[in-house]
């Protein structure tokens, strides 16, 4: 039973398994949340829309690279797309907690459709310039300021707390499935008829999620009471997160990884163009293989009934290590194959952090908390992408990719040690069946403390 945002008790020290995640119910099957009609409609609408979104992302990055020849320009495009989340994300969360979720999503999805159609018109007419792409990316980013936390919060209203872990995982599987199809179709369109058609199809794809929202049954939603308009709600949300280690540390971790470890538009376009000299086809292949790994990671997450913080830390360390290894890959095929496990562990980080934060949050605060989560995860790109793009241009893609992986590894290790200390744990190094093993075990009080206690 949830309490009001101002009535919570002092949080228990965070451990590698958050209490909120330990108590969450285990899903009965990998696709159990699809039995719910409203969520099933939402899921099907997102399949179509997400495919269009990935087509536009690939086309947008390649168009900018074609117009400018600069990896830094690709980074600027990514930064402009996510800058609104960094600047206004928290205010978006306050609005989401005040507004009904379904009508809000109808407005934001329509705005994103119009952005895609406008960019299609400019490109197909032959009048597109790089500043047009920058403007379109920023406009889409403004819509996501409200759309992202609204969609995150609306999932719990469609399925209820018992199916939240499963639904969040299937959302990610949905997104990654579209990532398999979208880049492939985008690659065919770019080489066959041009980037403008990818933008057009993305704009038209929003018909599907808009129809799914309109067809939902309101009486079957688990509607959360909206927060009344009041002063100080933004500060209230920040204090709420700051007072809970099980919320603040996963958010800090995804902030580091989102800022420095997820700059794939910059890296993959540079590897395709500069390192392997393989063009748009290789860029599309890299994205498709990451999506394949991400889809596998999402389905594995859907099978798990809980979101454990130790899984989050381990996946983040593995993700960073794989990026460092991939940075040094000597051949296109080895680099391509490494994209699959990078996708698995990157998606595991995203889903585990997302679910653990949602499960530990009071429903009345969920919009603000998820806005903060998305702000640091997605909104870090305006800070990281131009820097990573500059490093790529000056020192080369290999140095840039390795740097992102090292930051992910270091941040995950440091935050893992912080959570272990808060949870009364310590690192244990030893051997098991002839192999080294690292574990977190309870701290043992010193002999002096034991004597004092006696």
């Amino acid at each position: 039973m949830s309490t009001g945002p101002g009535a919570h008790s002092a949080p228990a020290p965070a451990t590698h398994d958050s209490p909120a995640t330990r108590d969450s119910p285990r899903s009965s099957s990998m696709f159990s949340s699809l039995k719910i009609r409203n969520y099933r409609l939402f899921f099907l609408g997102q399949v179509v829309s997400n495919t269009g979104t990935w087509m536009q992302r690939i086309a947008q990055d390649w168009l900018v690279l074609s117009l400018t020849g600069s990896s830094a320009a690709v980074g600027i495009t990514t930064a402009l797309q996510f800058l609104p989340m960094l600047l206004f994300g928290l205010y978006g969360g306050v609005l989401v907690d005040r507004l009904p979720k379904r009508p809000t999503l109808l407005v934001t999805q329509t705005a994103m459709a119009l952005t895609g159609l406008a960019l299609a018109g400019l490109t197909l007419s032959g009048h597109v310039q790089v500043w047009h792409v920058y403007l379109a990316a920023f406009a889409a980013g403004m819509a996501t300021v409200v759309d992202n936390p609204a969609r995150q919060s609306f999932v719990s209203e469609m399925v209820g707390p018992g199916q939240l872990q499963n639904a969040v995982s299937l959302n990610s599987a949905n997104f990654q499935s579209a990532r398999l199809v979208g880049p492939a179709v985008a690659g065919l369109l770019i080489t066959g008829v041009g980037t403008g058609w990818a933008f057009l199809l993305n704009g038209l794809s929003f018909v599907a999620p808009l129809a799914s929202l309109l067809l939902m049954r309101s009486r079957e939603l688990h509607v959360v009471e909206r927060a009344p308009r009041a002063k100080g709600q933004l500060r209230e949300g920040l204090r709420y997160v700051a007072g809970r280690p099980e919320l603040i540390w996963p958010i800090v971790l995804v902030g580091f990884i989102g800022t420095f470890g997820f700059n794939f538009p910059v890296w993959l376009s540079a590897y395709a163009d500069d390192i392997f000299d393989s063009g748009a086809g290789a860029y599309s292949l890299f994205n498709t293989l990451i999506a394949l790994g991400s889809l596998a990671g999402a389905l594995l997450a859907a099978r798990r009934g809980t979101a454990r913080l130790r899984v989050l830390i381990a996946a983040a360390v593995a993700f960073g290590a794989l990026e460092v290894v991939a940075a040094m890959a000597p051949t296109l095929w080895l680099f391509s194959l490494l994209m699959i496990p990078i996708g698995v562990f990157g998606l595991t980080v995203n889903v585990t952090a997302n679910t653990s934060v949602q499960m530990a949050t009071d429903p009345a605060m969920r919009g603000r908390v998820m806005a903060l989560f998305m702000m640091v995860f997605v909104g870090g790109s305006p800070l990281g992408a131009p820097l990573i793009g500059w490093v790529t241009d000056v020192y080369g893609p290999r140095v840039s990719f390795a740097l992102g992986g090292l930051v992910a590894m270091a941040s995950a290790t440091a935050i893992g040690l912080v959570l272990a200390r808060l949870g009364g744990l310590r690192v244990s190094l030893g051997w098991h069946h002839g192999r080294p093993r690292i574990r977190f075990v309870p701290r043992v009080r010193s002999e002096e403390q034991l004597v004092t206690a006696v």
Side-chain angles (χ1 to χ4, degrees):
M1 180 177 178
S2 61
T3 59
H8 58 269
S9 58
T15 67
H16 58 300
D17 291 332
S18 167
T21 60
R22 280 199 307 266
D23 297 337
S24 61
R26 188 174 294 273
S27 297
S28 57
S29 72
M30 184 181 291
F31 303 103
S32 56
S33 55
L34 288 177
K35 297 175 183 176
I36 301 169
R37 180 183 181 275
N38 283 342
Y39 179 71
R40 187 164 62 249
L41 285 169
F42 178 83
F43 184 90
L44 293 173
Q46 291 298 309
V47 167
V48 178
S49 179
N50 286 336
T51 302
T53 297
W54 275 110
M55 290 169 57
Q56 173 148 329
R57 286 191 179 186
I58 300 301
Q60 173 181 280
D61 296 337
W62 200 255
L63 177 61
V64 170
L65 193 63
S66 301
L67 291 172
T68 66
S70 169
S71 293
V74 178
I76 291 171
T77 307
T78 303
L80 287 171
Q81 187 165 340
F82 300 124
L83 181 63
M85 182 63 71
L86 179 64
L87 296 178
F88 310 115
L90 292 177
Y91 296 98
V94 172
L95 285 175
V96 167
D97 279 338
R98 293 175 181 173
L99 298 172
K101 307 299 184 296
R102 187 160 58 137
T104 300
L105 287 171
L106 286 169
V107 173
T108 58
Q109 295 280 295
T110 300
M112 294 167 75
L114 293 175
T115 301
L117 293 173
L119 191 56
L122 288 168
T123 307
L124 291 172
S125 66
H127 294 97
V128 69
Q129 299 178 37
V130 68
W131 72 267
H132 293 144
V133 186
Y134 289 164
L135 182 61
F138 185 79
M142 287 298 296
T144 61
V145 166
V146 176
D147 185 79
N148 270 349
R151 277 190 294 112
Q152 298 285 339
S153 303
F154 191 51
V155 171
S156 64
E157 293 194 10
M158 287 184 286
V159 302
Q163 294 291 343
L164 183 58
Q165 160 79 10
N166 184 262
V168 170
S169 300
L170 289 182
N171 274 358
S172 296
N174 184 328
F175 190 68
Q176 301 307 328
S177 297
R179 193 175 180 181
L180 288 171
V181 179
V185 176
L188 292 173
L189 290 173
I190 291 170
T191 57
V193 294
T195 56
W197 291 98
F199 299 138
L200 177 62
L201 291 179
N202 174 56
L204 296 176
S205 73
F206 282 95
V207 171
L210 290 171
S212 72
L213 289 167
L214 292 171
L215 289 171
M216 288 183 184
R217 296 170 181 164
S218 300
R219 64 181 181 277
E220 296 178 8
L221 294 173
H222 302 258
V223 179
V224 176
E225 184 177 353
R226 302 199 302 271
R229 183 182 179 87
K231 292 183 178 180
Q233 288 177 318
L234 180 58
R235 291 192 300 273
E236 181 186 25
L238 293 174
R239 286 195 301 268
Y240 179 85
V241 172
R244 287 168 166 74
E246 71 273 21
L247 295 180
I248 187 64
W249 290 113
I251 289 175
V252 170
L253 176 58
V254 298
F256 274 104
I257 292 179
T259 301
F260 298 101
F262 270 80
N263 290 286
F264 294 113
V266 177
W267 291 323
L268 300 187
S269 60
Y271 267 81
D273 196 44
D274 299 334
I275 300 297
F276 300 120
D277 193 25
S278 301
Y283 182 46
S284 177
L285 173 66
F286 298 154
N287 280 279
T288 300
L289 291 173
I290 286 182
L292 184 64
S294 299
L295 176 59
L299 293 176
L300 289 172
R303 288 185 65 87
R304 289 194 301 268
T306 56
R308 300 178 183 274
L309 293 183
R310 66 184 178 188
V311 174
L312 172 62
I313 299 300
V317 172
F319 173 76
L322 284 164
E323 286 195 335
V324 174
V325 173
M328 306 306 163
T331 66
L332 182 145
W333 294 111
L334 179 58
F335 182 84
S336 299
L337 288 174
L338 285 169
M339 295 302 101
I340 296 175
I342 285 175
V344 171
F345 286 105
L347 196 284
T348 301
V349 170
N350 189 2
V351 169
T352 306
N354 186 313
T355 308
S356 65
V357 168
Q358 287 212 51
M359 294 296 292
T361 301
D362 187 289
M365 301 292 293
R366 192 165 283 144
R368 279 164 282 184
V369 173
M370 293 314 298
L372 178 61
F373 178 91
M374 296 305 298
M375 185 189 78
V376 299
F377 183 55
V378 177
S381 293
L383 302 176
L387 174 62
I388 292 297
W390 176 81
V391 173
T392 301
D393 283 341
V394 175
Y395 297 101
R398 295 192 186 277
V399 172
S400 177
F401 203 5
L403 176 63
L406 289 171
V407 172
M409 288 177 62
S411 59
T413 302
I415 290 171
L417 293 173
V418 169
L419 288 171
R421 185 173 183 82
L422 289 172
L425 305 174
R426 65 177 178 84
V427 178
S428 172
L429 304 176
W431 291 84
H432 183 69
H433 297 306
R435 297 179 181 178
R437 181 169 68 170
I438 303 176
R439 295 185 301 159
F440 288 105
V441 298
R443 291 179 180 274
V444 179
R445 290 186 298 177
S446 66
E447 184 177 341
E448 180 180 344
Q449 289 175 312
L450 291 173
V451 171
T452 303
V454 172

